[in-house]
């Protein structure tokens, strides 16, 4: 009797596709949370595979802080056009204008936490019962606690001690009215897995992931890109460096690394030698030891 073996990328792909199909089977109005970063791009690519030759049955939802990299927004719009998919945009600026949230002040001000209210409002107004995210357990200790199906109460809050068991690949999406779930199809992937898969599948990604020259300021042990939102402090100076970004968020909080990796092969080689998590250059995660978990408990991605 012959045996058929999948390599590890095929196994990860198969698991993710199974979860995406379970989401479609169990929920009435799921969406893909799309940031324009590599992980949400990967989830969208897997959704294409899961439902081929049909179109992706999910709308894509983007929480727009107004402080995005222009390259990310352009990539998002181009991808939506090529997919023929529906795009739902929740605007943090609108939340500020409506008095739903108050903008932070000071040197380290960010709109990152303000996304929580905008996201929960978008989920409620669009009657979303499952939001599919690209979170991975290797990214951060709070995300390591997540299940594939992550239950949220009717306030959108996450309780890591009150999650469903997931034995024998059985996923339980039952919920009361007003509650919803987050689903994480690539939870078991590592950063290295993501890059190897992107390389294998030849998936298009924003140019920000490749090394390029950019004006930056060194702050909090990271190279922060110069933008109209960056206020220089005393002693800081603008420098031109060849950098790339390992993860994409707001332009105000996403730190780059000096790098010569301008191809997928070079990125994979560079990541294989890294000893620092990819979110290590995100200033929003440096606010406290529990910054990510605190935000997630309030309804963050």
């Amino acid at each position: 009797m012959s045996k058929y073996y999948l390599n590890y990328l095929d196994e990860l792909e198969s698991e993710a596709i199974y979860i995406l199909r379970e989401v479609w089977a169990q929920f009435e109005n799921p969406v893909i949370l799309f940031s324009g970063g590599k992980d949400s791009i990967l989830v969208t690519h897997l959704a294409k595979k899961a439902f081929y030759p049909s179109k992706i049955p999910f709308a894509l939802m983007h929480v727009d802080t107004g402080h995005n990299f222009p390259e990310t927004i352009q990539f998002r719009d181009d991808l939506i056009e090529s997919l023929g998919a529906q795009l739902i945009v929740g605007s943090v600026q609108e939340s500020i204008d409506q008095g739903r949230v108050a903008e932070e002040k000071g040197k380290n001000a960010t709109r990152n936490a303000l996304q929580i209210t905008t996201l929960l409002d978008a989920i409620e107004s669009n009657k979303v019962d499952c939001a599919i995210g690209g979170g991975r357990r290797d990214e951060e200790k709070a995300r390591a606690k997540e299940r594939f199906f992550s239950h949220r109460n009717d306030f959108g809050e996450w309780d890591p001690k009150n999650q469903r068991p997931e034995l024998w690949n059985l996923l339980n999406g039952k919920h009361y009215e007003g509650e919803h779930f987050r689903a994480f199809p690539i939870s078991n992937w590592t950063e290295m897995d993501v890059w190897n898969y992107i390389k294998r599948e030849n998936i298009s990604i924003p140019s920000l992931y490749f090394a390029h020259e950019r004006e930056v300021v060194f702050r909090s042990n990271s190279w922060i890109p110069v933008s109209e939102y960056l206020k220089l402090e005393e002693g800081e100076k603008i420098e031109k460096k060849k950098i790339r970004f390992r993860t994409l968020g707001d332009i105000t909080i996403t730190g780059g690394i000096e790098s010569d990796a301008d191809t997928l092969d070079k990125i994979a080689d560079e990541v294989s030698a890294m000893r620092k998590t990819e979110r290590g250059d995100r200033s929003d995660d440096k606010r406290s030891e529990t910054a990510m978990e605190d935000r997630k408990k309030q309804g963050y991605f």
Side-chain angles (χ1 to χ4, degrees):
M1 181 177 177
S2 62
K3 292 184 178 180
Y4 178 71
Y5 294 99
L6 297 175
N7 70 28
Y8 80 100
L9 285 178
D10 290 327
E11 288 183 357
L12 290 170
E13 177 190 76
S14 178
E15 178 182 68
I17 286 174
Y18 166 74
I19 293 163
L20 286 164
R21 288 173 176 168
E22 279 293 301
V23 169
W24 184 240
Q26 294 194 40
F27 297 98
E28 294 183 3
N29 188 30
V31 298
I32 294 176
L33 295 175
F34 189 83
S35 67
K38 66 183 187 309
D39 297 320
S40 60
I41 293 169
L42 172 59
V43 170
T44 305
H45 177 82
L46 289 164
K48 285 173 59 179
K49 279 199 161 188
F51 299 98
Y52 182 84
S54 298
K55 287 186 177 181
I56 294 176
F58 311 117
L60 273 61
M61 177 181 285
H62 180 218
V63 177
D64 183 0
T65 65
H67 289 174
N68 299 286
F69 286 92
E71 296 95 327
T72 306
I73 297 299
Q74 185 61 55
F75 185 92
R76 179 202 71 182
D77 294 343
D78 291 344
L79 181 63
I80 290 295
E81 184 177 357
S82 68
L83 292 174
Q86 178 190 1
L87 175 65
I88 301 170
V89 178
S91 170
V92 171
Q93 185 60 56
E94 287 185 10
S95 298
I96 295 171
D97 294 342
Q98 294 168 3
R100 296 280 293 147
V101 293
E103 187 144 27
E104 292 184 359
K105 306 295 182 183
K107 172 184 174 180
N108 297 313
T110 170
R111 288 186 171 185
N112 196 45
L114 306 188
Q115 296 178 83
I116 297 170
T117 298
T118 305
L119 171 62
L120 295 178
D121 286 349
I123 286 173
E124 183 177 2
S125 63
N126 289 281
K127 302 186 186 309
V128 171
D129 53 358
C130 183
I132 307 164
R136 306 189 327 270
R137 292 188 177 114
D138 80 319
E139 287 183 278
E140 206 273 342
K141 55 184 179 291
R143 286 185 169 168
K145 300 178 183 179
E146 284 283 18
R147 304 290 174 89
F148 289 124
F149 276 17
S150 178
H151 175 261
R152 304 298 171 107
N153 65 20
D154 53 355
F155 294 103
E157 297 168 330
W158 174 66
D159 181 358
K161 297 180 181 179
N162 186 29
Q163 298 298 313
R164 314 282 172 81
E166 294 180 344
L167 305 175
W168 306 293
N169 292 327
L170 296 176
L171 305 175
N172 181 0
K174 291 184 179 180
H175 58 284
Y176 293 107
E177 184 177 354
E179 299 177 342
H180 73 277
F181 273 78
R182 309 286 170 88
F184 299 101
I186 62 171
S187 281
N188 287 334
W189 297 53
T190 66
E191 183 185 10
M192 194 69 202
D193 296 333
V194 171
W195 285 116
N196 283 335
Y197 189 80
I198 287 173
K199 188 168 64 168
R200 188 185 83 170
E201 300 285 303
N202 195 27
I203 301 172
S204 296
I205 55 174
S207 59
L208 296 163
Y209 284 111
F210 299 100
H212 58 287
E213 284 197 346
R214 195 179 193 108
E215 289 188 337
V216 289
V217 171
F218 195 69
R219 179 183 292 178
S220 300
N221 294 316
S222 298
W223 291 106
I224 304 297
V226 173
S227 70
E228 60 182 300
Y229 313 110
L230 181 71
K231 296 180 180 179
L232 291 180
E233 297 294 313
E234 186 177 351
E236 290 183 335
K237 62 177 182 177
I238 296 175
E239 301 182 53
K240 201 164 191 177
K241 295 282 184 180
K242 191 172 185 182
I243 64 166
R244 74 175 193 87
F245 300 94
R246 292 176 69 192
T247 178
L248 297 184
D250 263 18
I251 197 169
T252 59
I253 59 173
T254 303
I257 59 171
E258 290 190 73
S259 172
D260 291 316
D262 53 6
T263 67
L264 289 175
D265 285 327
K266 289 181 180 179
I267 289 175
D269 289 341
E270 184 178 80
V271 170
S272 67
M274 290 286 187
R275 294 295 177 267
K276 183 180 181 182
T277 176
E278 64 190 285
R279 291 189 67 93
D281 291 304
R282 290 282 292 269
S283 60
D284 52 326
D285 288 350
K286 298 178 181 180
R287 293 192 166 195
S288 73
E289 284 292 320
T290 60
M292 171 65 82
E293 182 158 337
D294 292 341
R295 293 198 306 273
K296 283 176 67 63
K297 286 179 177 178
Q298 298 170 40
Y300 190 69
F301 305 119

